Amino acid sequence: MIHLKLLASALAGTVVYVTVSVFAGQNGINSYKQLENQKREISKQATMIQNINEELILEKNALSNDRDVIAAFARKLDYVKEGETLVKITGLKPFEHTLYDTGTVLRRKEVSYIPDDVCKLLGVVFFFMTLLLFLFIDLSNGNNPFERKKKIKIVTGIPIYGGKQI
């Protein structure tokens, strides 16, 4: 009977270990969800940087090819053509260089999980707890699981009438 209790306790400990590993272990569901969230954030950031890159390419092409854009940009920098006059008004803020948004730095976040050693320890602890529970139940019912069963002696030489003696 003690063997059955050992096997049941081992099964319970194994089930606890597997359950904790699947849900909160290093390759578990919780870790997978955390990595998926990081992937979504990185994807959004990459899309935003791609849009900024496209805007900068358009502005570069405009500044290299379109004379009107070049002239407007030069006026912002206080350059004038021949024959134009520049009037500066005091009290107005000077031209500030345009700062381009280059995106934000994303740091890789560490995935939080329960290490495999802790999962195994939880399984072993649960094994011993269930084994002790089974033994406590047996002792409280008056059964001693460690007591050896008395062997039944087989009596030989019982007379059988009308048949062959053993």
Side-chain angles (χ1 to χ4, degrees):
M1 202 61 172
I2 189 75
H3 298 295
L4 184 61
K5 288 175 181 43
L6 279 171
L7 285 175
S9 298
L11 176 67
T14 304
V15 167
V16 167
Y17 164 69
V18 169
T19 303
V20 171
S21 293
V22 165
F23 287 104
Q26 183 175 6
N27 297 323
I29 294 171
N30 188 32
S31 299
Y32 179 75
K33 287 181 180 178
Q34 290 177 29
L35 289 172
E36 281 292 320
N37 289 338
Q38 284 186 26
K39 180 181 171 184
R40 272 189 230 105
E41 288 177 19
I42 290 171
S43 178
K44 286 179 190 175
Q45 189 70 15
T47 303
M48 189 176 82
I49 290 173
Q50 184 66 31
N51 292 340
I52 291 170
N53 187 36
E54 290 170 3
E55 290 174 11
L56 289 174
I57 288 172
L58 288 174
E59 190 171 333
K60 176 192 169 264
N61 288 339
L63 284 172
S64 354
N65 300 327
D66 193 356
R67 290 193 167 272
D68 293 333
V69 173
I70 295 171
F73 192 75
R75 283 191 192 97
K76 285 183 182 179
L77 296 174
D78 295 336
Y79 289 106
V80 291
K81 286 185 188 177
E82 287 184 24
E84 288 183 337
T85 44
L86 179 65
V87 178
K88 288 191 176 186
I89 303 172
T90 57
L92 293 178
K93 289 183 181 178
F95 171 73
E96 294 180 9
H97 294 287
T98 305
L99 294 176
Y100 297 102
D101 182 21
T102 57
T104 56
V105 176
L106 286 180
R107 301 274 184 225
R108 185 175 75 89
K109 297 175 189 169
E110 290 295 323
V111 177
S112 61
Y113 60 91
I114 297 176
D116 196 47
D117 294 338
V118 175
C119 295
K120 289 177 183 175
L121 181 66
L122 286 173
V124 168
V125 167
F126 200 77
F127 163 74
F128 283 116
M129 286 175 43
T130 54
L131 184 61
L132 287 174
L133 179 68
F134 285 146
L135 294 177
F136 179 73
I137 290 171
D138 273 353
L139 290 174
S140 66
N141 289 337
N143 300 331
N144 187 355
F146 299 109
E147 184 178 281
R148 293 204 176 245
K149 303 275 183 189
K150 294 180 182 177
K151 292 186 178 180
I152 301 172
K153 293 183 180 179
I154 299 175
V155 180
T156 58
I158 300 176
I160 299 176
Y161 297 102
K164 190 176 180 184
Q165 291 287 330
I166 300 177

